[in-house]
Amino acid sequence: MFADLPLLPPDALLGLTKLFNEDKRAVKIDLGVGVFRTLDGRTPILESVKRAEAKLLSAQTTKVYTPPEGAPGFADAIARLLLGEGHPAVADGRVFALQTPGGCGALRVGAELLKRAGAARVVAGAPTWANHQPLLAAAGLAVEMVPYYDAKTGGLFFDDFMSAVEKLGPKDVLLLHGGCHNPTGADLSPAQIDRVIAAAERHGFAPLVDFAYHGFAADLDADAFMAREIARRLPEALITYSCSKNFGLYRERVGALFLIGETRERVAAMRSQALSLARGNYSMPPAHGGSIVAEILQSSDLAALWKREVAEMAAQIRENRRLFVRTAGEMQFGERVAAIERQNGMFSMLPLSEAQVMAMRERYGVYMANTGRINLCGVNRMNVEYLCNGLKDVLRS
Ligand code: LMR
């Protein structure tokens, strides 16, 4: 049966953690997989999560199945968080949210729903998250890359991106990052988002918004601009949401898929299809993570604590960005990475070739994706000089 299956290499991103852990050097830096880190390299459980878990464990009386749309209260709470109180699309019954196993689960169900609906192709700005293409391809969707990130300036090829967007038709899908672009950190501005939405209004394509870093750019309201505007102005869209980073619930696998349809009836049909796709895959999402999120968002004390914790994580990453650019400046290569201070979220790209990425790994024990993507959470005042010294050396070669 399995004799002809070839051996595949480890996942390019997830494999980095294993390589890092196996490195026996005392001084090493993990800039690989996108998880938040404290100064001493830990990824702690949020205090709001611990308190919610304690409440849940003492109140829990059964492990019976949850409904297919997820833990009770989760969908309403996450919709209010993302779209804000009193969003017109919610009031009109044009939105249905279902809990999924992480943002990946949301992407997979969303992609299969698009495939069932007859989506012709998915267009995405280059580069995009390394797992987008395989994940969408697994659902039978071809992803076509168009210009987006300008590595020279650390900004966008916005005009080129827009000319590709203007060519999309009603059976096309535009994959957008809801904020904190992964891997580049280079986001669309509100004015640019407005132009993309106006193009969707004219041409009728459906956005698929992948949003995994809510709260990590400016704040929870400002970051939700794209999602809220799309849900308000466009008849149809899908939004995939991850609670891995902003709730620190990585291993609990909790995310959401938002279905936005033209009418209440259309959403009911989309809902039935999405639930049948989930049933044919994992049946229902794991309850624990969804229950934690619901518990936090439904308690005003826990929600306030969680919002402070998200703001603190975001502030620390912004500080790491400033620190890195300032230290690079002191070491005379600041202009090559200056855009990092203007970018958002966990990630940015360093101007390194793959050979230089490998040299950082071999000579300095600095682990990053082969593309030069770094997770800024791993940069801090304890290691920034060591990191920049290494980069200065490698950039010379
Ligand atoms: C990342 O991009 O590093 C994270 O989103 C983790 C993952 O699943 O790839």
Side-chain angles (χ1 to χ4, degrees), residues 2 16-17 115 137 186 206 239 280 307 312 370:
F2 304 117
L16 279 173
T17 307
K115 182 73 187 168
I239 304 173
K307 284 177 186 174
E312 279 165 18
N370 292 0

Side-chain angles (χ1 to χ4, degrees), residues 54-275:
K55 278 170 82 175
L56 284 173
L57 286 182
S58 64
Q60 204 167 61
T61 55
T62 181
K63 293 285 186 190
V64 79
Y65 296 118
T66 53
E69 58 265 42
F74 173 86
D76 277 354
I78 205 76
R80 253 199 298 276
L81 177 69
L82 176 64
L83 298 175
E85 297 294 333
H87 192 285
V90 177
D92 294 345
R94 292 180 44 236
V95 180
F96 175 74
L98 70 146
Q99 191 196 325
T100 53
C104 281
L107 277 163
R108 183 63 187 263
V109 175
E112 288 183 0
L113 184 66
L114 288 164
K115 182 73 187 168
R116 268 196 191 172
R121 58 180 175 154
V122 180
V123 166
T128 193
W129 179 46
N131 204 26
H132 274 149
Q133 204 136 3
L135 208 160
L136 295 172
L141 291 174
V143 183
E144 200 179 297
M145 304 306 291
V146 299
Y148 178 79
Y149 176 67
D150 178 355
K152 278 217 176 65
T153 63
L156 302 182
F157 289 127
F158 184 67
D159 290 345
D160 294 340
F161 178 69
M162 272 318 289
S163 1
V165 167
E166 293 289 357
K167 293 195 187 90
L168 300 180
K171 279 290 175 193
D172 291 330
V173 178
L174 179 63
L175 173 60
L176 293 166
H177 293 233
C180 301
H181 188 270
N182 179 2
T184 69
D187 283 337
L188 296 166
S189 69
Q192 290 170 332
I193 290 170
D194 180 68
R195 287 189 50 195
V196 173
I197 296 175
E201 286 173 321
R202 280 195 302 279
H203 304 300
F205 61 83
L208 167 60
V209 180
D210 189 14
F211 198 18
Y213 302 90
H214 187 194
F216 280 78
D219 60 56
L220 287 162
D221 279 322
D223 290 9
F225 177 77
M226 181 194 289
R228 291 178 186 178
E229 281 297 287
I230 282 180
R232 190 174 66 79
R233 287 167 56 186
L234 295 182
E236 296 180 338
L238 299 183
I239 304 173
T240 57
Y241 190 93
S242 170
C243 301
S244 294
K245 333 280 167 162
N246 56 1
F247 286 86
L249 285 171
Y250 312 89
R251 66 169 61 169
E252 301 297 351
R253 309 310 300 139
V254 48
L257 172 63
F258 288 81
L259 312 173
I260 295 154
E262 189 155 19
T263 60
R264 214 174 262 273
E265 295 68 37
R266 214 50 86 68
V267 176
M270 290 164 78
R271 171 184 191 273
S272 69
Q273 295 282 343
L275 292 179

Side-chain angles (χ1 to χ4, degrees), residues 11 13-14 32-35 104 129 131 182 212-213 245 347 373:
D11 180 85
L13 281 175
L14 301 181
V33 178
V35 297
C104 281
W129 179 46
N131 204 26
N182 179 2
Y213 302 90
K245 333 280 167 162
F347 306 113
R373 185 195 83 168

